[in-house]
Every structure is written in structure tokens, then in C-alpha cells.
Amino acid sequence: MTSGGPVGGQVAVDQLLEVLDLTPVDEMTFRGMSPPVGPQRVYGGQVAGQALVAAGRTVDPTRFVHSLHGYFVRPGDPVEPIEYQVERIRDGRSFSVRRSVAKQHGKTIFFMSASFQRIEEGLDHQAPVPPDVPGPDEVPTMADRLARYPERLGIWSLIPRPIDVRYVGEPGWVRPGDRPADPYQRVWMRIDGKLPDDPLLHACALTYASDLTLLDSVLSVHGEVWGPGGVVGASLDHALWFHRPFRADEWFLYDCWSPSASRARGLATGRMFTVDGRQIASSVQEGLLRRVGA
């Protein structure tokens, strides 16, 4: 972090932990806040992460989240508290299912179903790690990339950066024409500081991070970029499956691609791998994508 630039490192991570630390209203209701500096609408990964925090607080801690499915219904207001109402769908012998609904101004902005499972042993296999991907120390840092495009920063130059993001290829916020078409969008990520050992908190942090670059893989196929002269978009839904134990404050490769785009919607899917090659999670998201003029 440079003087006058965005907050990063442990300071930004501690701010993220504050955002994820919801205030209990009653046994099944929680209240969350947005960061004091942010975009005009609530970041989707934030509301998804907070919704998972709310759901997880109502579940036996010996059960761990293995999947979540959410829909973004309305844009969130970053200056208004978000109320999360949790419904206890079922507590069985092996699984617990919750529905977490985020509301502002009396209306639903997001809702999520999440399932939690007690630890069991069974079959074990995974997809192969993408070959020949340079490691996180072999690709440019976010600061290195941003230095080339100061005019593309806007509000993002002020927002805290609790996640260290390092693109293997060109990101979607470069100038129009500067991005070659690529069927894959690959990014190294980690929480840029130390997190407590709570597995639910790491799952919530990974949920927060999973919305950052996934939809960008749709644009990558066409060599398109975000913003003026490119495309504007919004997440419509988000699904995430957790496969193996992990720490969100250690490097993982987010390997994303898009199987289809049509009718102003794009579908993106991703896989997350640790540095030692374990697949820790998979994701799928559909987004609304519309062209804008220069």
C-alpha cells in the first residue's frame, strides 16, 4: 500500500472481519453493515458472505458448510444496514439446511440456501490441476497492474483491499483493445493477512472472494472489458461447493471459464486449487451483461 492509496494487508483484513461479524438481533436474525467506503451498490460477495455467517451461526459447529446457492434480487444500499433472517429448514442426522434472506427497506435483496454436513469418510477424487500455470510469485501484483491504468480506477482506488489478487492473464478492467481473447480467467488469491482458525469464517471469506473475478471469465472469451467502451454487468445468482478443508489466507488458484453466453446473460464456472494441488471448491454464476458506449 502506498501513501494515500487503498488500505491493504492486515488492516484491510480486520475491516473485512468486522463486516462479517454480524450483530445478533434474536436467535435467527442478524444485522450486517457495509464498509464505510465502497461502490454505489453492495458488493455481491459481501452479502453472500454475510448471509452464510448468519446461517452458520444457527448450526451445530461440528457441521461444516458444503454448498450454498443464492440469488441476487435487488441491488443493496451500502449506507443501510442489512437484516438477515434465517429459517431452520431441517436438522437431520448428517445434514443441516438453512435459508438465509437479506433484507433492506422491507424488501429482499438476496436469499440463499446453505447445507451443512457432519464429517464423513468416502470416495475421493478430483479434477486435475490446470497445467503450466505460473505461481503467485511469478505473476504481477495488483499494484503493478493498476499502475498502468490509473484512469480505470475511480472508486476502486479508495476501497480497502483485504484480498491479494494476482491475475495470470489480463484482467477485465484494462482499456478496450488491451485484452486478448482467452478461454480462461485464472487468478491467484488469498486473504491478505491472518484469519482466525474458525472454518466457518474461512468459508465465508472464500465466499466473499469467489464473486470477485468469476463473471469476468465470460468477457475474457471475447477479449471484452468492463466499463466505458465495454460491458457493464451484475450477478444474478451464485453457487459454491466446498470440497476439502482449506485456509482462505493461503494462496489458491481460481480457475474460471464460461461455457455459454446469450441473451445478455453469461454463465461462468470456476474451480479453486491450493498451491499443492488440492481442489477445495467449485463455483457457478450467471450474470447480466450489457454493452455500454465509450
Side-chain angles (χ1 to χ4, degrees):
M1 180 184 70
T2 59
S3 177
V7 174
Q10 191 63 47
V11 174
V13 173
D14 290 342
Q15 291 179 6
L16 173 60
L17 292 174
E18 291 181 6
V19 168
L20 294 176
D21 187 19
L22 306 184
T23 301
V25 177
D26 57 41
E27 184 182 2
M28 304 295 286
T29 307
F30 305 85
R31 183 176 295 116
M33 304 297 293
S34 297
V37 178
Q40 293 181 335
R41 62 187 180 192
V42 177
Y43 163 58
Q46 174 197 317
V47 69
Q50 288 180 327
L52 182 57
V53 170
R57 287 190 179 179
T58 71
V59 176
D60 185 328
T62 63
R63 298 185 176 195
F64 301 92
V65 62
H66 70 89
S67 69
L68 61 86
H69 302 256
Y71 281 89
F72 299 94
V73 181
R74 294 180 177 87
D77 181 352
V79 301
E80 177 77 10
I82 306 173
E83 185 175 272
Y84 294 89
Q85 299 173 354
V86 180
E87 180 182 359
R88 185 179 282 109
I89 303 297
R90 183 173 186 265
D91 283 316
R93 288 183 297 176
S94 299
F95 292 86
S96 293
V97 181
R98 298 291 186 267
R99 187 170 187 263
S100 186
V101 180
K103 292 189 173 184
Q104 283 184 322
H105 307 292
K107 295 181 179 180
T108 298
I109 64 170
F110 176 81
F111 63 90
M112 168 195 290
S113 297
S115 182
F116 301 75
Q117 181 191 17
R118 67 177 177 85
I119 296 176
E120 298 183 50
E121 297 298 325
L123 301 177
D124 194 326
H125 72 270
Q126 67 170 62
V129 180
D132 303 322
V133 177
D137 294 331
E138 302 174 73
V139 295
T141 66
M142 180 66 84
D144 291 337
R145 289 195 181 274
L146 287 173
R148 296 162 49 200
Y149 299 97
E151 78 283 2
R152 305 288 283 184
L153 287 178
I155 184 65
W156 301 107
S157 64
L158 304 175
I159 295 176
R161 296 180 193 153
I163 304 174
D164 191 344
V165 179
R166 303 189 183 187
Y167 291 84
V168 175
E170 288 292 342
W173 38 260
V174 300
R175 299 184 190 102
D178 282 9
R179 189 186 201 191
D182 191 333
Y184 296 99
Q185 167 80 324
R186 289 171 173 153
V187 182
W188 285 101
M189 291 183 178
R190 68 175 174 185
I191 297 296
D192 195 19
K194 189 70 173 176
L195 290 176
D197 292 335
D198 180 4
L200 176 63
L201 189 56
H202 285 263
C204 295
L206 196 75
T207 301
Y208 181 97
S210 68
D211 190 43
L212 274 175
T213 62
L214 182 54
L215 201 57
D216 192 23
S217 65
V218 183
L219 275 63
S220 181
V221 175
H222 303 272
E224 290 283 0
V225 299
W226 298 106
V231 176
V232 294
S235 301
L236 297 174
D237 60 11
H238 196 83
L240 193 58
W241 292 264
F242 302 92
H243 307 309
R244 294 170 178 82
F246 65 90
R247 291 192 65 92
D249 52 8
E250 296 179 353
W251 287 114
F252 59 90
L253 176 68
Y254 200 7
D255 177 36
C256 304
W257 71 98
S258 174
S260 178
S262 63
R263 299 186 175 183
R265 300 189 316 274
L267 185 68
T269 184
R271 304 175 301 174
M272 300 179 185
F273 296 91
T274 60
V275 172
D276 61 1
R278 292 182 305 111
Q279 186 176 356
I280 58 174
S282 300
S283 60
V284 176
Q285 182 177 72
E286 188 175 44
L288 177 68
L289 301 169
R290 291 173 174 157
R291 290 188 178 278
V292 291

